[in-house]
Amino acid sequence: MDDPTFNVPPTMSNIQPLTPPSHHISRMINSNHQQSPSRTIYSDRFIPSRSSSNFDLFNISQPSPNSPAPVDNHKDDNSGTYNALLRAALFGPDTPDKKDLSSPPSARNIFRFKSETRRSLHSLSPFGFDNDVTSGVSQSPVKAPRKVPRSPYKILDAPALQDDFYLNLVDWSSHNVLAVGLGNCVYLWNACSSKVTKLCDLGIDDNVCSVGWAHRGTHLAVGTSHGKVQIWDASRCKRVRTMEGHRSRVGALAWSSSSLSSGSRDKSILQRDIRAQEDFVSKLAGHKSEVCGLKWSYDNRELASGGNDNRLFVWNQHSTQPVLKYCEHTAAVKAIAWSPHLHGLLASGGGTADRCIRFWNTTTNTHLSCMDTGSQVCNLVWSKNVNELVSTHGYSQNQIIVWRYPTMSKLATLTGHTYRVLYLAISPDGQTIVTGAGDETLRFWNVFPSPKSQNTDSEIGASSFGRTIIR
């Protein structure tokens, strides 16, 4: 049979035979054709730039751009080397090869940190400044830790200052006048002029148990051992009124604008309005032993109370029962302080059997942290200039500690008192504290910086070093 013939059009007579597709692909790969400048070719691969990588950090040498690429003629050898490196990185450099236990390949960790990796501060900048550009920029030196003087700048003798943990006999007014209860008398010491004034004498059968200045003005509240609270106008040395209501001594006082709270050994807290005719407007019951600590929050919305029943209570303006109860302390709670920096942050300290400073968030009703100080916590006060606080202690070290919050690192430990440091007050400028103890001395310490400068000395008696008597 003859071969079939096809009628092919003349235009297709010159068509070349088809070439395999692989030939076109190889031509495309090996071609050095010039791309059109008006057309951008995109790829689905991302090739990172290694120019800014620090290969010295991992002890890996960066390949030179002019060095020829290595030829993989020994695939098996490279695979063996990689396996050895991987084995050393995962299991240590001393792990032998399973093929040859007698001669393990020499290997080391793939990534090895080097100690010579210090880089300049500008090399870490995200803007990539050169040394020439930043040579004229001066770097601020690192500030040294603030130094707290270890000695008091002034000491006052305070005869008959009682050694009683449950009393509060020292307070500092906004007008820079210190009130101190000594026996049955109250004395005023003007920090500007160092003048001493005898405010009152309660008589031979009574004693001063607490003193407390109003936030503004010159009114001073005095709690007595007979359960009375006297209001004095210190500018005129005149008693304004006497309020009753307690059946035993009044050892704690706390002002809130025109309201005054008093805590007593009769376990009760009385809320008083000095503008009202009644001696008290409400009675707060909850403690099962003597109330020895009282503090209003800075917004005057919450009152914290501590007692000899090891309880810390929080009350609001209108409650007669505590809205929050904290029972973690294992000793009497006298030391109470509200933070002026964070709303609802409360600090409390326990007595000899407890020795702890605890922090609470009254807004969320949570216990934040606890610090064991190693000795009886007698008082706490926050600095209004910096986020720090001071604690005074009794058994067994009688020390004063300046803490940085919230790390609770010690900035300074001050010593000098030979008895328990039972009394503490802070100056109106927030830089100076005064401490009192059963050794019948009042000591003045510069512990906090000023609001503007941490190196400015306090203007309150800082130049009058010496020892005088308060009466």
Side-chain angles (χ1 to χ4, degrees):
M1 184 176 179
D2 295 336
D3 293 335
T5 58
F6 299 95
N7 293 324
V8 179
T11 58
M12 299 181 63
S13 60
N14 296 326
I15 293 179
Q16 299 295 329
L18 294 175
T19 59
S22 59
H23 181 68
H24 288 285
I25 296 176
S26 62
R27 288 181 59 191
M28 293 175 63
I29 294 177
N30 298 323
S31 64
N32 294 324
H33 63 278
Q34 186 176 3
Q35 298 180 0
S36 173
S38 62
R39 183 178 180 182
T40 303
I41 299 177
Y42 296 96
S43 174
D44 60 349
R45 294 186 61 200
F46 171 73
I47 302 177
S49 175
R50 305 295 184 184
S51 59
S52 61
S53 300
N54 187 9
F55 288 93
D56 290 337
L57 184 64
F58 302 106
N59 200 17
I60 297 176
S61 60
Q62 184 179 8
S64 175
N66 299 325
S67 61
V71 180
D72 189 9
N73 295 327
H74 306 283
K75 183 177 181 180
D76 294 339
D77 295 342
N78 291 340
S79 178
T81 303
Y82 172 77
N83 291 336
L85 290 174
L86 182 60
R87 187 187 312 106
L90 294 177
F91 305 108
D94 299 330
T95 305
D97 191 354
K98 64 179 181 178
K99 296 181 180 180
D100 187 5
L101 297 178
S102 61
S103 59
S106 60
R108 57 184 176 87
N109 293 341
I110 296 178
F111 299 111
R112 177 171 298 181
F113 289 96
K114 299 175 64 178
S115 59
E116 301 82 17
T117 56
R118 295 182 180 178
R119 301 174 66 182
S120 65
L121 192 62
H122 301 298
S123 65
L124 302 177
S125 172
F127 303 102
F129 293 130
D130 295 333
N131 293 332
D132 297 338
V133 177
T134 58
S135 59
V137 180
S138 61
Q139 300 181 15
S140 59
V142 179
K143 291 185 178 180
R146 179 169 56 87
K147 294 183 179 180
V148 178
R150 295 302 195 269
S151 301
Y153 68 82
K154 190 175 186 64
I155 301 176
L156 293 178
D157 285 326
L161 185 61
Q162 298 187 57
D163 183 28
D164 193 328
F165 177 81
Y166 301 99
L167 305 185
N168 293 273
L169 299 176
V170 178
D171 197 19
W172 208 327
S173 77
S174 59
H175 291 273
N176 207 10
V177 178
L178 189 70
V180 184
L182 301 177
N184 53 7
C185 299
V186 175
Y187 291 87
L188 305 179
W189 179 77
N190 191 306
C192 298
S193 62
S194 297
K195 180 181 178 181
V196 178
T197 304
K198 183 178 179 179
L199 179 65
C200 66
D201 189 337
L202 300 181
I204 195 172
D205 61 339
D206 204 352
N207 281 299
V208 179
C209 296
S210 57
V211 294
W213 287 102
H215 294 166
R216 294 186 178 92
T218 58
H219 285 87
L220 177 71
V222 179
T224 72
S225 60
H226 288 171
K228 298 180 180 179
V229 176
Q230 298 181 1
I231 306 298
W232 286 78
D233 186 351
S235 62
R236 299 182 298 163
C237 290
K238 182 178 180 179
R239 186 175 62 187
V240 176
R241 65 180 296 184
T242 300
M243 296 177 288
E244 300 182 355
H246 289 297
R247 302 187 305 272
S248 185
R249 69 180 186 181
V250 180
L253 295 168
W255 284 88
S256 171
S257 61
S258 60
S259 299
L260 174 65
S261 303
S262 60
S264 172
R265 181 182 273 179
D266 64 8
K267 312 172 188 178
S268 67
I269 301 171
L270 297 182
Q271 303 283 56
R272 309 173 187 270
D273 190 341
I274 62 174
R275 301 168 299 180
Q277 187 176 0
E278 298 81 11
D279 286 342
F280 61 93
V281 295
S282 63
K283 182 177 182 179
L284 310 183
H287 284 285
K288 297 180 180 180
S289 187
E290 180 173 8
V291 179
C292 52
L294 277 180
K295 283 289 168 43
W296 277 98
S297 61
Y298 281 87
D299 58 4
N300 295 324
R301 293 183 179 181
E302 294 179 304
L303 173 67
S305 65
N308 197 28
D309 55 0
N310 310 342
R311 299 292 186 264
L312 174 66
F313 292 158
V314 178
W315 320 70
N316 60 31
Q317 293 174 307
H318 309 289
S319 66
T320 57
Q321 295 292 326
V323 294
L324 298 176
K325 297 181 180 181
Y326 301 119
C327 308
E328 280 76 3
H329 284 291
T330 57
V333 182
K334 176 192 176 185
I336 300 174
W338 291 91
S339 170
H341 309 288
L342 185 61
H343 174 74
L345 177 58
L346 176 65
S348 61
T352 307
D354 183 79
R355 306 181 306 273
C356 292
I357 300 175
R358 297 180 182 271
F359 296 91
W360 319 85
N361 188 332
T362 60
T363 304
T364 60
N365 190 20
T366 55
H367 181 205
L368 300 177
S369 61
C370 175
M371 170 62 68
D372 189 346
T373 65
S375 58
Q376 179 187 41
V377 184
C378 302
N379 294 278
L380 288 169
V381 66
W382 287 87
S383 168
K384 64 181 181 180
N385 302 333
V386 289
N387 200 13
E388 299 171 2
L389 69 158
V390 164
S391 61
T392 67
H393 300 269
Y395 302 123
S396 58
Q397 302 178 40
N398 306 325
Q399 78 273 37
I400 304 160
I401 303 179
V402 184
W403 308 86
R404 178 181 285 115
Y405 187 82
T407 60
M408 289 305 288
S409 57
K410 292 182 182 181
L411 290 177
T413 299
L414 312 176
T415 57
H417 284 289
T418 57
Y419 280 67
R420 296 179 297 173
V421 188
L422 298 177
Y423 310 110
L424 172 67
I426 189 168
S427 62
D429 66 356
Q431 300 181 56
T432 304
I433 62 170
V434 58
T435 56
D439 56 9
E440 298 185 346
T441 62
L442 296 173
R443 298 171 186 260
F444 296 79
W445 316 77
N446 285 322
V447 296
F448 294 130
S450 65
K452 297 181 180 179
S453 174
Q454 293 190 4
N455 296 323
T456 303
D457 292 334
S458 173
E459 297 178 357
I460 302 178
S463 60
S464 58
F465 179 83
R467 182 162 183 157
T468 56
I469 190 169
I470 200 172
R471 70 173 185 181

